[in-house]
Amino acid sequence: MEKELFLEKTVEEIKRELSNPDQRIIALCRITEKLPKNINELFEALRVVTDTVYPTLEKEVGIEDYCRICLALQETNNEKVLQIINSGVSVKLEKREKEFVKGLAESILGLITLNKDIEKEAYHLAEKSYPNFCFVAGTNIACKMLVISGSMSRLSQMPSSTIQLLGAEKALFKSIRTGSKKTPRYGLLFNHSLLINKDKKEKGRLSRFLAGKIAIAIKADISGIDMRDELKKNIEKKINGTLN
Amino acid sequence: MYNKNLVRENGKFYTLDLNSKERRLWDPYRSKLCAGLANGLQSLPIKEGDSVLYLGCAEGYTCSFVSDLVGVQGIVYGVDISPYSMQKFVLLSKERANLVPVLWDANKLDKYELLEGVKVDVIVQDVAQKNQVEILTKNARQFLEKNKHFILSLKTSSIAQKSAKEIIEEETRKLEKDFEILERKRLEPFEKKHILIVGSPR
């Protein structure tokens, strides 16, 4: 009898914890981090066979185009490919080998589209559940921050200085250990769209400012307030101020 | 090490028949309590019919063996903070009648309503945290009475990056303020830098 009460309560709490979007976003992001590695490995395996057919082609086209060319095999109209094939160095594949190549190329293309879909789904989820955070930090960076911190509630308890250095833990602890004055200024925020093409000095200042705004945005998301207009005004004001 | 199996034909773990009693293999590499017993721990306080509070039960591997030890009369409260491992523990607790799942943070002092007023015979503390001893004293104050026992499996590498001996000395000094230590057992070669401490409150 007593056990039933405990069971009910824990099942309820488990459901509540697991229906949290954080964990799903993190799981999806983990997949998108790992898939490119596998894609590259498969691509290398493909190139072991097709390097003799299309030598030096991989330098001219990307992975996706390469796979499409492999799918079509010798029946392409692409000038570069025809040039390479007709140069006399290229080797013709046997029938069975062609099938292997086609299968590999197909699976690589499938994985690439899958990766894009998963990424889109993760971004969609993040934007739906945390609009302020994604607006200020950018969805990509927001997702990466979630992966590092583990959950939104943990992020909301962080001071802005910690948020500023998320992703630069290695450099931070190295500077602390050696006691040097060269502490890192930005972690994940280095890739933020506002920081690109800025001076080094300005980058440090802006990342400090942005981290503060992100901390505010996270707290707004947790309490369910939409502050996007206000934050936008603040950020624009700051950028105009630093440029002049 | 083999333990008497309470539930027939579990299927999840390797089972073995010895003298027509069903027994189950207890792997010391997976369970710290078992590693202590394999190294010759003399005073195992868990007896049949005891009620046990297991902090840090995870998926319930060790817990299932503790539930074998206490038998049908006893009860085991498995406490863990992670909802993922708790899912598996809930499934296990449906097979074993004397396991009770509790999703709760043992580190925080906020109260769990259903556990109020409960007193247990043994606390097993298996939470590898920096403030392990503190967690134990907090919970002991709430759940333990005199002449009852605790088992603490101390992971020294989660406390500080010093040598294991120094940390063990420090932590036992902290423990001796509130507890009487009956036995200590290092867990080599099964677990590195771990120690199992058995004791009771003063």
Side-chain angles (χ1 to χ4, degrees):
Chain A
M1 182 54 211
E2 199 193 31
K3 193 192 162 180
E4 299 278 299
L5 283 174
F6 276 101
L7 251 179
E8 250 174 53
K9 191 169 180 186
T10 42
V11 168
E12 209 175 274
E13 277 182 5
I14 285 172
K15 270 183 189 163
R16 204 185 61 214
E17 293 263 333
L18 294 186
S19 62
N20 199 337
D22 295 2
Q23 300 306 323
R24 268 189 281 157
I25 293 170
I26 288 170
L28 291 176
C29 284
R30 287 249 163 87
I31 297 172
T32 55
E33 275 171 17
K34 272 180 188 171
L35 263 185
K37 275 180 199 166
N38 293 338
I39 290 169
N40 278 336
E41 270 173 17
L42 275 180
F43 184 60
E44 298 237 312
L46 175 71
R47 267 191 45 204
V48 170
V49 182
T50 56
D51 238 8
T52 51
V53 185
Y54 313 110
T56 70
L57 181 64
E58 83 278 355
K59 281 173 191 165
E60 286 164 29
V61 293
I63 290 182
E64 274 180 82
D65 289 332
Y66 194 99
C67 288
R68 268 185 217 119
I69 289 166
C70 285
L71 260 183
L73 280 174
Q74 323 243 313
E75 302 142 9
T76 48
N77 302 320
N78 195 329
E79 276 182 28
K80 275 178 194 168
V81 180
L82 285 176
Q83 230 178 42
I84 289 172
I85 290 172
N86 295 331
S87 63
V89 199
S90 137
V91 180
K92 278 192 179 176
L93 290 176
E94 282 182 30
K95 221 180 189 182
R96 274 190 203 163
E97 279 179 320
K98 276 181 189 173
E99 275 169 28
F100 298 149
V101 168
K102 267 188 185 176
L104 254 178
E106 242 171 71
S107 59
I108 291 172
L109 282 175
L111 276 180
I112 289 172
T113 48
L114 185 72
N115 193 20
K116 277 178 189 165
D117 287 347
I118 291 173
E119 206 173 49
K120 214 184 275 176
E121 176 63 28
Y123 289 176
H124 173 73
L125 252 177
E127 272 166 20
K128 205 176 88 185
S129 33
Y130 307 121
N132 295 314
F133 183 28
C134 289
F135 173 73
V136 181
T139 319
N140 187 7
I141 293 173
C143 286
K144 280 178 182 168
M145 280 182 175
L146 259 180
V147 171
I148 289 181
S149 62
S151 77
M152 201 65 178
S153 64
R154 231 178 269 171
L155 258 181
S156 70
Q157 288 166 10
M158 284 179 179
S160 74
S161 54
T162 310
I163 289 170
Q164 187 187 346
L165 295 181
L166 273 182
E169 283 85 1
K170 203 177 165 190
L172 174 66
F173 288 122
K174 194 182 172 191
S175 74
I176 291 173
R177 206 169 48 241
T178 55
S180 73
K181 283 177 185 172
K182 223 181 168 184
T183 49
R185 294 189 181 82
Y186 24 69
L188 287 172
L189 282 177
F190 183 72
N191 292 327
H192 194 277
S193 56
L194 284 178
L195 292 196
I196 296 171
N197 298 331
K198 292 267 158 58
D199 302 343
K200 213 176 178 184
K201 209 172 184 182
E202 209 143 86
K203 263 185 187 170
R205 277 183 202 162
L206 261 180
S207 76
R208 175 164 24 96
F209 165 75
L210 268 176
K213 291 301 161 205
I214 288 171
I216 294 170
I218 290 166
K219 275 146 204 164
D221 275 330
I222 287 274
S223 48
I225 310 166
D226 194 351
M227 284 179 59
R228 273 180 282 183
D229 298 331
E230 208 175 313
L231 286 166
K232 197 181 177 185
K233 262 184 216 164
N234 272 333
I235 291 170
E236 274 173 1
K237 210 176 169 187
K238 176 77 179 178
I239 289 167
N240 294 334
T242 50
L243 285 178
N244 295 335
Chain B
M1 186 171 295
Y2 296 98
N3 199 10
K4 196 178 84 194
N5 196 359
L6 198 67
V7 183
R8 284 200 121 255
E9 201 48 55
N10 202 309
K12 271 180 195 164
F13 308 122
Y14 176 60
T15 54
L16 187 92
D17 271 313
L18 282 180
N19 305 330
S20 81
K21 273 180 193 166
E22 200 175 286
R23 280 174 186 260
R24 215 145 59 90
L25 181 67
W26 198 358
D27 186 1
Y29 287 96
R30 283 185 70 188
S31 164
K32 278 158 217 154
L33 191 58
C34 179
L37 289 172
N39 277 357
L41 187 77
Q42 297 291 319
S43 52
L44 181 71
I46 302 169
K47 292 177 221 80
E48 210 166 324
D50 275 358
S51 60
V52 178
L53 182 74
Y54 198 105
L55 305 174
C57 63
E59 287 165 22
Y61 182 75
T62 311
C63 252
S64 67
F65 289 98
V66 174
S67 103
D68 285 341
L69 285 174
V70 297
V72 190
Q73 301 291 321
I75 192 165
V76 180
Y77 300 96
V79 179
D80 205 291
I81 185 177
S82 157
Y84 292 93
S85 43
M86 212 61 206
Q87 263 182 321
K88 284 156 197 163
F89 191 74
V90 166
L91 287 178
L92 185 73
S93 75
K94 278 178 181 166
E95 283 171 22
R96 291 171 175 271
N98 56 4
L99 282 187
V100 177
V102 183
L103 184 67
W104 183 48
D105 190 353
N107 195 356
K108 281 179 186 159
L109 268 177
D110 51 348
K111 277 179 185 169
Y112 196 85
E113 284 175 21
L114 293 171
L115 277 179
E116 244 172 88
V118 172
K119 295 284 175 197
V120 295
D121 296 315
V122 182
I123 288 185
V124 185
Q125 208 272 27
D126 200 359
V127 192
Q129 285 289 323
K130 204 176 177 183
N131 55 348
Q132 267 191 299
V133 173
E134 202 183 314
I135 293 173
L136 178 69
T137 44
K138 269 183 207 168
N139 283 287
R141 222 168 278 152
Q142 195 176 344
F143 298 110
L144 271 192
E145 286 174 343
K146 269 189 181 180
N147 302 325
K148 307 291 184 184
H149 297 87
F150 73 86
I151 303 172
L152 169 69
S153 78
L154 198 70
K155 184 184 177 187
T156 56
S157 56
S158 73
I159 291 167
Q161 294 286 349
K162 291 182 204 164
S163 73
K165 264 187 188 173
E166 279 177 47
I167 295 166
I168 289 168
E169 289 295 315
E170 274 176 33
E171 298 300 313
T172 41
R173 230 174 288 139
K174 272 188 213 168
L175 269 175
E176 272 169 350
K177 282 177 195 168
D178 301 308
F179 302 103
E180 192 180 348
I181 291 169
L182 298 176
E183 196 176 356
R184 298 193 298 178
K185 206 89 202 169
R186 288 293 291 266
L187 299 187
E188 262 87 31
F190 305 108
E191 300 272 356
K192 278 177 193 166
K193 296 189 174 180
H194 276 70
I195 191 166
L196 210 67
I197 302 174
V198 182
S200 63
R202 283 232 163 94

